[in-house]
Coordinates of all heavy atoms in Angstrom, one line a residue:
N1 N 146.9 111.9 -73.8 CA 145.5 111.4 -73.6 C 144.5 112.3 -74.2 O 143.4 112.5 -73.8 CB 145.2 111.1 -72.2 CG 146.1 110.0 -71.6 OD1 146.4 109.0 -72.3 ND2 146.7 110.3 -70.5
R2 N 145.0 113.0 -75.3 CA 144.1 113.9 -76.1 C 144.3 113.6 -77.6 O 145.3 113.0 -78.0 CB 144.5 115.4 -75.8 CG 144.2 115.8 -74.4 CD 144.5 117.3 -74.3 NE 145.8 117.7 -74.9 CZ 146.8 118.1 -74.2 NH1 146.7 118.3 -72.9 NH2 147.9 118.5 -74.7
A3 N 143.3 114.0 -78.4 CA 143.4 113.8 -79.8 C 144.6 114.6 -80.3 O 145.0 115.6 -79.7 CB 142.1 114.3 -80.4
P4 N 145.2 114.2 -81.4 CA 144.8 113.2 -82.3 C 145.3 111.8 -82.0 O 144.7 110.8 -82.5 CB 145.3 113.6 -83.7 CG 146.6 114.3 -83.3 CD 146.3 115.0 -82.0
Y5 N 146.3 111.6 -81.1 CA 146.9 110.3 -80.9 C 146.6 109.7 -79.6 O 146.6 108.5 -79.4 CB 148.4 110.3 -81.2 CG 148.8 110.8 -82.5 CD1 149.7 111.8 -82.7 CD2 148.3 110.1 -83.7 CE1 150.0 112.3 -84.0 CE2 148.7 110.6 -84.9 CZ 149.5 111.6 -85.1 OH 149.9 112.0 -86.3
G6 N 146.5 110.5 -78.5 CA 146.4 110.0 -77.2 C 147.8 109.6 -76.6 O 148.2 110.1 -75.6
S7 N 148.4 108.6 -77.2 CA 149.8 108.2 -76.9 C 150.5 107.7 -78.1 O 149.9 107.4 -79.1 CB 149.7 107.1 -75.8 OG 149.2 105.9 -76.4
W8 N 151.8 107.8 -78.1 CA 152.6 107.4 -79.3 C 154.0 107.1 -78.9 O 154.5 107.4 -77.8 CB 152.6 108.6 -80.3 CG 153.2 109.9 -79.7 CD1 154.5 110.3 -79.8 CD2 152.5 110.9 -79.0 NE1 154.7 111.5 -79.2 CE2 153.5 111.9 -78.6 CE3 151.2 111.0 -78.5 CZ2 153.2 113.0 -77.9 CZ3 150.9 112.2 -77.8 CH2 151.9 113.1 -77.5
T9 N 154.7 106.5 -79.8 CA 156.2 106.3 -79.7 C 156.8 107.1 -80.8 O 156.3 107.2 -81.9 CB 156.5 104.8 -79.9 OG1 155.9 104.0 -78.9 CG2 158.0 104.5 -79.9
A10 N 157.9 107.8 -80.5 CA 158.6 108.6 -81.5 C 160.1 108.5 -81.3 O 160.6 108.1 -80.3 CB 158.1 110.1 -81.3
I11 N 160.8 108.9 -82.4 CA 162.2 109.1 -82.4 C 162.5 110.5 -82.5 O 161.9 111.2 -83.3 CB 162.8 108.3 -83.6 CG1 162.6 106.8 -83.4 CG2 164.3 108.6 -83.7 CD1 163.1 106.0 -84.6
S12 N 163.5 111.0 -81.7 CA 163.9 112.4 -81.8 C 165.4 112.5 -81.6 O 166.1 111.5 -81.3 CB 163.2 113.2 -80.7 OG 163.7 112.9 -79.4
K13 N 165.9 113.7 -81.8 CA 167.3 114.0 -81.5 C 167.4 114.8 -80.2 O 167.0 116.0 -80.2 CB 168.0 114.8 -82.7 CG 168.1 114.0 -83.9 CD 168.8 114.8 -85.0 CE 169.0 114.0 -86.3 NZ 169.7 114.8 -87.3
P14 N 168.0 114.2 -79.2 CA 168.1 115.0 -77.9 C 168.9 116.2 -78.1 O 169.9 116.3 -78.9 CB 168.9 114.0 -77.0 CG 168.7 112.6 -77.6 CD 168.5 112.9 -79.1
P15 N 168.5 117.3 -77.4 CA 167.6 117.4 -76.3 C 166.2 117.8 -76.7 O 165.5 118.6 -75.9 CB 168.3 118.4 -75.4 CG 168.9 119.4 -76.3 CD 169.3 118.5 -77.5
F16 N 165.7 117.4 -77.8 CA 164.4 117.8 -78.3 C 163.5 116.6 -78.4 O 163.9 115.5 -78.7 CB 164.5 118.5 -79.6 CG 165.4 119.7 -79.5 CD1 166.7 119.7 -80.0 CD2 165.0 120.9 -78.9 CE1 167.5 120.8 -79.9 CE2 165.8 122.0 -78.8 CZ 167.1 122.0 -79.3
F17 N 162.2 116.8 -78.2 CA 161.2 115.8 -78.3 C 160.6 115.8 -79.7 O 159.7 115.0 -80.0 CB 160.0 116.0 -77.3 CG 160.4 115.7 -75.9 CD1 160.4 116.7 -74.9 CD2 160.6 114.4 -75.6 CE1 160.7 116.3 -73.6 CE2 160.9 114.0 -74.2 CZ 161.0 115.0 -73.3
T18 N 160.9 116.8 -80.6 CA 160.3 116.9 -81.9 C 160.5 115.6 -82.6 O 161.6 115.1 -82.8 CB 161.0 118.0 -82.7 OG1 160.9 119.2 -81.9 CG2 160.4 118.2 -84.0
A19 N 159.4 115.0 -83.1 CA 159.4 113.6 -83.7 C 160.0 113.6 -85.1 O 159.5 114.4 -85.9 CB 158.0 113.1 -83.7
L20 N 161.0 112.8 -85.3 CA 161.5 112.5 -86.6 C 160.7 111.4 -87.3 O 160.6 111.3 -88.5 CB 163.0 112.1 -86.6 CG 163.9 113.1 -85.9 CD1 165.3 112.6 -85.7 CD2 163.9 114.4 -86.7
A21 N 160.2 110.5 -86.5 CA 159.3 109.4 -86.9 C 158.3 109.2 -85.7 O 158.7 109.4 -84.5 CB 160.0 108.1 -87.2
L22 N 157.1 108.8 -86.0 CA 156.0 108.7 -85.0 C 155.1 107.6 -85.3 O 154.7 107.4 -86.4 CB 155.2 110.0 -84.9 CG 154.2 110.2 -83.8 CD1 154.2 111.6 -83.2 CD2 152.8 109.8 -84.3
W23 N 154.9 106.8 -84.2 CA 153.9 105.6 -84.3 C 152.8 105.9 -83.4 O 153.0 105.8 -82.1 CB 154.6 104.3 -84.0 CG 155.7 103.9 -85.0 CD1 155.5 103.1 -86.1 CD2 157.0 104.3 -85.0 NE1 156.7 102.9 -86.7 CE2 157.6 103.7 -86.1 CE3 157.8 105.1 -84.2 CZ2 159.0 103.8 -86.4 CZ3 159.2 105.3 -84.5 CH2 159.7 104.6 -85.6
P24 N 151.6 106.2 -83.8 CA 150.4 106.4 -82.9 C 150.1 105.1 -82.2 O 150.2 104.0 -82.7 CB 149.3 106.8 -83.9 CG 149.9 107.2 -85.2 CD 151.2 106.4 -85.2
K25 N 149.7 105.3 -80.9 CA 149.4 104.1 -80.1 C 148.0 104.1 -79.6 O 147.2 103.2 -79.8 CB 150.4 104.0 -78.9 CG 150.3 102.8 -78.1 CD 150.9 101.6 -78.7 CE 150.9 100.4 -77.9 NZ 149.6 99.7 -77.8
G26 N 147.6 105.2 -78.9 CA 146.2 105.4 -78.5 C 146.0 104.9 -77.1 O 145.0 105.3 -76.5
D27 N 146.8 104.0 -76.5 CA 146.6 103.5 -75.2 C 148.0 103.4 -74.6 O 149.0 103.7 -75.2 CB 145.8 102.2 -75.1 CG 146.4 101.1 -75.9 OD1 147.7 101.0 -76.0 OD2 145.7 100.3 -76.5
A28 N 148.0 102.9 -73.3 CA 149.3 102.7 -72.6 C 149.8 101.3 -72.6 O 150.7 101.0 -71.8 CB 149.2 103.3 -71.2
W29 N 149.2 100.4 -73.3 CA 149.6 99.0 -73.3 C 150.7 98.8 -74.3 O 150.5 99.0 -75.5 CB 148.4 98.1 -73.7 CG 147.3 98.1 -72.7 CD1 146.2 98.9 -72.7 CD2 147.3 97.4 -71.5 NE1 145.4 98.7 -71.6 CE2 146.1 97.8 -70.8 CE3 148.1 96.5 -70.9 CZ2 145.7 97.3 -69.6 CZ3 147.7 96.0 -69.6 CH2 146.5 96.4 -69.0
G30 N 151.9 98.6 -73.8 CA 153.1 98.5 -74.7 C 153.6 99.9 -75.0 O 153.4 100.8 -74.2
G31 N 154.1 100.1 -76.2 CA 154.7 101.4 -76.6 C 156.2 101.5 -76.2 O 156.7 100.7 -75.4
G32 N 156.8 102.4 -76.9 CA 158.3 102.6 -76.7 C 159.1 101.7 -77.5 O 158.6 101.1 -78.5

């Protein structure tokens, strides 16, 4: 809930959250 994206969906390789691809969302409606 902070800039630059607020919220987003991403793909990573576990056990890491580092995004391999990222889709900015901005709100909590939908996502994932």
Side-chain angles (χ1 to χ4, degrees):
N1 300 312
R2 293 187 311 248
Y5 300 125
S7 65
W8 61 92
T9 297
I11 295 177
S12 70
K13 289 184 179 181
F16 302 103
F17 287 114
T18 305
L20 303 172
L22 184 140
W23 293 266
K25 185 78 177 75
D27 58 34
W29 296 97

